[in-house]
Amino acid sequence: MSRTFPKAGVDYPGSYGGVLAWFPDDEACRDYLDWLRWPNGFRCPLCGSATGWRLVDGRWSCRGCARRVSATAGTIFHRTRTPLTIWFAAAWSMTSDKQGVSALGLKRVLEIGSTQTAWAMLHRYRSAMVRPGRDRLTGTVEADETFLGGPEPGVPGRGALGKTLVEVAIEQRGRGFGRCRMQVIGDASSSTLRAFLLAHVEPGSVVLTDGFSSYPSACGEDYIHRATPISGSGKQAHELLPGVHRVAALAKRWLEATHQGAVKPALLQPYLDEFCFRFNRRHSRARGMLFYRLLEQAVQASPLTYRSLVAEPGSGRREMPMPPLDKRVHCESLAGPTLDRPWRRGIDQG
């Protein structure tokens, strides 16, 4: 079964009240993840067998390898001790508001036992926001670099200290803009910028840049490069490349407002992925669609340990302290009037 065009009220809830009604307990949440993970029927992730049967506890027993497989096994929910109802509430909070939610805010709203647990939940969701094999940007694409981070004394410009260099690309769509991509880069050399373009922009596209000397070599023969140096143009940088400057400004404002500018350079990329995930779906009329897409990608993403999330490569330090050994998840009941699993109706009726 294919769900190319999912519908509100059938494939996903249309409001937070719908979330409470659809998913009153972990069993309903687990069944929804099962439905998302295997839309065409169960397939064992270990041996690939498409034959199995349901067990009383909701897991599958694979006929091929006799393994018992849960819908959450091998996903970001792997071996979680946090109730799935809390995971689903966090996913809705993360996608329903254009400003997202911080770990501290999520902890307060859902009364989660520790900030570390809330932070790890959000970070695992961020790891699922980049879909493998996603389409690259096409058409006319603006590209430029920007810096994220607080001001520190030192060399200005592309060599500034205390800031993180980020490459931004966005499609031009008539008088508006299309999708965007943001990536932390180590430097602004031709090889680095070329790697970014090849990863995020379809060859043959028109790439608009300023007069920075690295771009001609970065574009090479794969792209139609159109450069407009700021000097002599009579225009400001934001006038030459309005799209990338708007995206950069929105990202900076979001990091300052929602996360109080506390995102460390080593962990900036997942936050940029979250920003792009919501920005690229800003025209969606149904906020539940973002909730649906996030969970759909979450059951295809690999599990991550807390230690792998908090480690800052090369620093010998950790971004977040380890959670307390006696951590517990405390929250009020999310139970409400239940619906008879609308996502299963099409299968049952068929």
Side-chain angles (χ1 to χ4, degrees):
M1 180 180 64
S2 175
R3 293 189 293 271
T4 306
F5 303 104
K7 298 180 180 180
V10 177
D11 299 298
Y12 57 85
S15 65
Y16 187 60
V19 173
L20 297 178
W22 283 38
F23 312 113
D25 51 38
D26 276 19
E27 182 183 356
C29 295
R30 189 174 293 106
D31 187 67
Y32 189 69
L33 296 178
D34 182 298
W35 176 75
L36 288 173
R37 187 174 186 180
W38 298 300
N40 299 310
F42 169 75
R43 180 171 292 276
C44 180
L46 301 172
C47 70
S49 173
T51 305
W53 56 90
R54 287 273 198 148
L55 300 175
V56 176
D57 60 6
R59 290 182 296 174
W60 287 88
S61 178
C62 176
R63 183 174 182 178
C65 62
R67 298 286 186 92
R68 295 187 176 186
V69 182
S70 169
T72 60
T75 72
I76 66 169
F77 310 104
H78 187 73
R79 293 182 178 177
T80 181
R81 291 185 290 178
T82 303
L84 290 177
T85 52
I86 303 302
W87 277 97
F88 276 44
W92 184 267
S93 297
M94 206 173 189
T95 56
S96 61
D97 192 311
K98 65 179 181 180
Q99 295 300 327
V101 63
S102 67
L104 183 58
L106 189 70
K107 173 183 179 293
R108 289 172 176 170
V109 170
L110 298 181
E111 296 187 349
I112 296 175
S114 70
T115 304
Q116 293 91 337
T117 298
W119 179 87
M121 288 174 63
L122 295 178
H123 233 56
R124 289 187 172 102
Y125 272 133
R126 292 181 185 114
S127 73
M129 288 183 169
V130 177
R131 179 171 53 84
R134 62 182 178 177
D135 295 337
R136 290 179 284 188
L137 306 183
T138 60
T140 301
V141 179
E142 297 180 18
D144 199 8
E145 322 91 65
T146 189
F147 283 96
L148 296 179
E152 287 190 13
V155 182
R158 289 182 170 89
L161 300 175
K163 295 188 177 183
T164 305
L165 184 60
V166 175
E167 181 71 7
V168 184
I170 185 170
E171 298 170 326
Q172 286 189 349
R173 288 288 183 266
R175 299 171 62 181
F177 303 103
R179 300 167 297 156
C180 76
R181 297 283 188 269
M182 303 183 76
Q183 181 178 312
V184 174
I185 56 176
D187 55 60
S189 64
S190 296
S191 59
T192 299
L193 296 180
R194 179 170 176 77
F196 172 85
L197 291 175
L198 290 174
H200 300 288
V201 182
E202 191 70 26
S205 301
V206 177
V207 177
L208 307 181
T209 71
D210 56 17
F212 185 44
S213 59
S214 292
Y215 282 109
S217 297
C219 291
E221 298 181 354
D222 296 288
Y223 303 96
I224 302 172
H225 180 217
R226 295 177 182 171
T228 305
I230 297 176
S231 59
S233 67
K235 296 183 178 181
Q236 298 295 319
H238 68 274
E239 296 176 309
L240 292 176
L241 301 170
V244 292
H245 284 81
R246 180 177 299 181
V247 167
L250 290 173
K252 292 175 183 177
R253 188 184 308 167
W254 169 66
L255 290 171
E256 288 294 333
T258 301
H259 302 286
Q260 304 297 305
V263 178
K264 300 295 181 65
L267 292 176
L268 177 59
Q269 186 60 55
Y271 288 90
L272 298 181
D273 293 337
E274 178 187 351
F275 174 84
C276 291
F277 178 87
R278 277 195 301 269
F279 181 87
N280 293 342
R281 294 164 176 80
R282 65 193 182 279
H283 297 305
S284 176
R285 295 182 179 179
R287 306 312 295 173
M289 174 67 82
L290 277 70
F291 170 82
Y292 170 86
R293 292 302 184 195
L294 178 56
L295 291 180
E296 182 183 46
Q297 294 175 199
V299 293
Q300 303 300 328
S302 300
L304 294 171
T305 64
Y306 186 86
R307 289 183 180 275
S308 69
L309 290 173
V310 300
E312 182 179 358
S315 70
R317 298 185 293 107
R318 295 186 181 278
E319 292 295 328
M320 292 283 288
M322 295 303 293
L325 297 177
D326 59 345
K327 69 171 185 176
R328 294 290 185 272
V329 176
H330 303 287
C331 66
E332 297 295 332
S333 172
L334 299 180
T338 61
L339 298 178
D340 190 19
R341 303 186 186 178
W343 61 91
R344 289 291 184 185
R345 289 176 185 168
I347 298 177
D348 294 340
Q349 292 173 358

